[in-house]
């Protein structure tokens, strides 16, 4: 059996206009939530979180139920923020101890935690911190980038890396507590832990007079130290306490929230439809690609031109300068020497004007040759238009 006695207090402090912390404690559940958000939204997030944890843990008082309680709080806060514009961006820390029953029927304390509210265990006047802060500065300490002293004054010590109501999934630190009768555990918001050093916390929380006096003195000391934030403290003292048969110490992450849009199709069917679409898109893509290649190929080889091939006029197929990766192809030699051209026709040859067909190109070459022959009546040359048809390409 595990039994505790408890006391709790929360205070707005000396600077803040309202109290966005929320606390709860009974004979098997203790919670501190430090809300954040504009106007009263932080208060909404903190209160909503306490209600969700109480309801969920009330239905299932085991480790699973405690984790699900935080998950549900996260869901509830997000859902509210998405429907109420004035609550947009609200969130909260949460730290809670539940007396959880395990499969052996043993009831023992379990801590769950997200954010920078803290848990301390007190034994014989000594204080031991149980929770890691999920703040940028403390994560850097754990990575070795900052010393604890540097983190204590670092400007990003208040910037949380995890919180309730921040993302659709949440990672929760879950830890079985090992306690002895007479041990106390303090849950508090940063408005207490930032104002008081560890020695003061240990001394006031361990004060033997009683839990109520201890809690009141903690809040009063934080106010006296400046009270710059809302101050909350929940203190429990174990009269009897068990240890879990299978102790837990790990971070449990929720799986992504299911898609809320209603769907009547089985997922396999939906996947098949997606595959069909992907194939259709791929076919269209390939078809367009092949069409492009065909058009380029046709364009590249749709024309012919005359050019000098080692002193002979030759017919080439293609565009003189090529098209993309298509280079012109040698088709045939006409056997007309390039030396037997008028200067104007020699210029035309160099210009490599394209012609629509092989026949037209051959006709042009023959015309050039005849023009030169008519200007050189005594020359001895091949004046035939008969052409070779040796194609190298
Ligand atoms: Mn705070």
């Amino acid at each position: 059996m595990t039994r505790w006695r408890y006391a709790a207090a929360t205070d707005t402090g000396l600077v803040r206009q309202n109290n966005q912390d929320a606390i709860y404690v009974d004979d098997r559940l203790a919670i501190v939530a430090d809300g954040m958000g504009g106007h009263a939204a932080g208060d909404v997030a903190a209160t909503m979180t306490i209600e969700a944890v109480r309801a969920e843990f009330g239905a299932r008082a085991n480790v699973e139920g405690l984790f699900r309680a935080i998950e549900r709080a996260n869901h509830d806060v997000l859902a509210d923020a998405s429907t109420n514009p004035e609550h947009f961006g609200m969130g909260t820390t949460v730290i809670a101890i539940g007396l959880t029953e395990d499969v052996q029927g043993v009831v023992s304390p379990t801590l769950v935690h997200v954010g920078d509210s803290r848990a301390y265990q007190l034994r014989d006047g000594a204080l031991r911190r149980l929770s890691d802060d999920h703040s940028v500065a403390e994560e850097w300490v754990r990575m070795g980038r900052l010393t604890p002293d540097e983190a204590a004054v670092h400007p990003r010590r208040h910037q949380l890396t995890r919180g309730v109501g921040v993302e659709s999934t949440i990672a929760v630190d879950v830890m079985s507590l090992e306690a002895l009768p007479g041990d106390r555990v303090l849950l508090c918001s940063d408005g207490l832990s930032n104002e008081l050093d560890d020695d003061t916390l240990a001394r006031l929380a361990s004060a033997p007079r009683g839990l109520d006096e201890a809690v009141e003195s903690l809040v009063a000391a934080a106010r006296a130290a400046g009270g710059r934030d809302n101050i909350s403290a929940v203190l429990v003292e174990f009269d009897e306490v068990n240890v879990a048969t299978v102790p837990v110490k790990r971070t449990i992450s929720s799986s992504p929230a299911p898609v809320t849009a209603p769907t009547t199709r089985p997922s396999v069917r939906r996947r098949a439809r997606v595959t069909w679409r992907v194939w259709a898109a791929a076919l269209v893509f390939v078809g367009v690609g092949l069409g492009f290649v065909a058009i380029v190929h046709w364009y590249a080889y749709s024309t012919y031109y005359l050019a000098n091939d080692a002193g002979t006029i030759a017919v080439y197929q293609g565009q003189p300068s090529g098209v993309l990766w298509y280079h012109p192809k040698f088709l045939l030699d006409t056997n007309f020497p390039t030396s037997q051209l008028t200067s104007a026709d020699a210029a035309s040859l160099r210009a490599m004007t394209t012609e629509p067909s092989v026949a037209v190109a051959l006709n042009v070459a023959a015309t050039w040759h005849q023009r030169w022959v008519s200007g050189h009546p005594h020359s001895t040359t091949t004046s035939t238009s008969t052409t070779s048809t040796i194609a190298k390409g």
Side-chain angles (χ1 to χ4, degrees):
M1 196 60 199
T2 296
R3 288 188 301 114
W4 66 27
R5 287 173 292 116
Y6 53 84
T10 185
D11 189 279
T12 304
L14 302 175
V15 175
R16 298 291 172 89
Q17 295 300 307
N18 52 13
N19 191 349
Q20 301 201 346
D21 286 359
I23 60 173
Y24 177 81
V25 63
D26 65 21
D27 56 10
R28 59 179 191 156
L29 183 63
I31 318 172
V32 168
D34 178 351
M36 52 219 149
H39 305 292
D43 183 30
V44 172
T47 304
M48 193 171 281
T49 290
I50 285 188
E51 285 170 2
V53 172
R54 285 185 61 191
E56 200 70 23
F57 187 67
R60 236 187 323 182
N62 55 26
V63 172
E64 165 88 6
L66 200 52
F67 166 72
R68 294 291 173 207
I70 307 298
E71 200 175 41
R72 174 167 160 189
N74 188 56
H75 174 267
D76 288 359
V77 171
L78 276 175
D80 184 273
S82 70
T83 52
N84 293 317
E86 69 272 25
H87 294 166
F88 177 80
M90 72 178 176
T92 184
T93 72
V94 66
I95 191 157
I97 302 174
L99 300 187
T100 55
E101 183 173 355
D102 62 24
V103 287
Q104 306 289 332
V106 174
V107 175
S108 64
T110 303
L111 181 75
V112 283
H113 157 60
V114 177
D116 67 352
S117 298
R118 289 182 178 176
Y120 296 94
Q121 188 163 358
L122 299 127
R123 180 180 298 171
D124 301 329
L127 171 127
R128 187 168 69 96
R129 198 168 125 193
L130 298 174
S131 57
D132 294 325
D133 289 356
H134 302 139
S135 66
V136 172
E138 283 235 354
E139 303 279 5
W140 284 353
V141 170
R142 287 192 282 278
M143 291 164 65
R145 287 176 63 180
L146 289 179
T147 67
D149 288 345
E150 287 168 338
V153 295
H154 197 276
R156 298 183 74 177
R157 69 185 181 279
H158 300 302
Q159 191 177 335
L160 297 189
T161 53
R162 291 193 228 165
V164 172
V166 177
E167 291 175 40
S168 61
T169 61
I170 189 164
V172 182
D173 288 359
V174 181
M175 182 170 76
S176 303
L177 299 189
E178 291 186 24
L180 297 173
D183 284 2
R184 290 179 179 181
V185 176
L186 171 69
L187 303 182
C188 67
S189 62
D190 63 342
L192 186 78
S193 54
N194 282 338
E195 300 290 8
L196 304 180
D197 60 36
D198 284 2
D199 289 343
T200 308
L201 279 176
R203 181 170 50 82
L204 297 177
S206 306
R209 281 197 296 168
L211 295 175
D212 287 319
E213 289 89 334
V215 162
E216 296 302 330
S217 68
L218 284 166
V219 171
R223 285 174 63 95
R228 282 156 285 202
D229 193 3
N230 305 144
I231 306 156
S232 295
V234 174
L235 191 60
V236 299
E237 181 176 319
F238 293 101
D239 291 326
E240 288 178 58
V241 61
N242 289 318
V243 175
T245 42
V246 182
V248 181
K249 185 178 182 357
R250 64 192 190 97
T251 302
I252 302 177
S253 295
S254 61
S255 38
V259 177
T260 50
T263 172
T264 52
R265 288 170 190 275
S267 59
V268 173
R269 182 75 170 279
R270 218 166 66 218
R271 192 190 309 163
R273 195 176 60 177
V274 167
T275 304
W276 182 86
R277 282 184 182 165
V278 168
W279 275 110
L283 280 174
V284 168
F285 183 80
V286 168
V288 167
L290 287 175
F292 175 76
V293 168
I295 289 166
V296 170
H297 187 274
W298 170 83
Y299 171 72
Y301 291 131
S302 62
T303 58
Y304 303 84
Y305 65 95
L306 299 171
N308 185 344
D309 176 37
T312 303
I313 297 173
V315 179
Y316 288 82
Q317 185 180 13
Q319 303 288 341
S321 55
V323 177
L324 297 182
W325 54 91
Y326 295 112
H327 300 292
K329 291 189 287 196
F330 171 88
L331 213 58
L332 54 89
D333 270 333
T334 61
N335 291 334
F336 298 131
T338 53
S339 58
Q340 297 177 359
L341 285 170
T342 65
S343 59
D345 290 338
S348 294
L349 178 68
R350 286 192 296 275
M352 295 189 287
T353 309
T354 56
E355 309 294 351
S357 69
V358 181
V360 172
L362 288 173
N363 214 8
V364 168
T367 303
W368 288 348
H369 187 69
Q370 286 304 319
R371 192 143 50 212
W372 185 84
V373 168
S374 58
H376 299 78
H378 305 296
S379 68
T380 55
T381 182
T382 51
S383 58
T384 171
S385 65
T386 307
T387 57
S388 145
T389 55
I390 301 162
K392 296 182 203 164

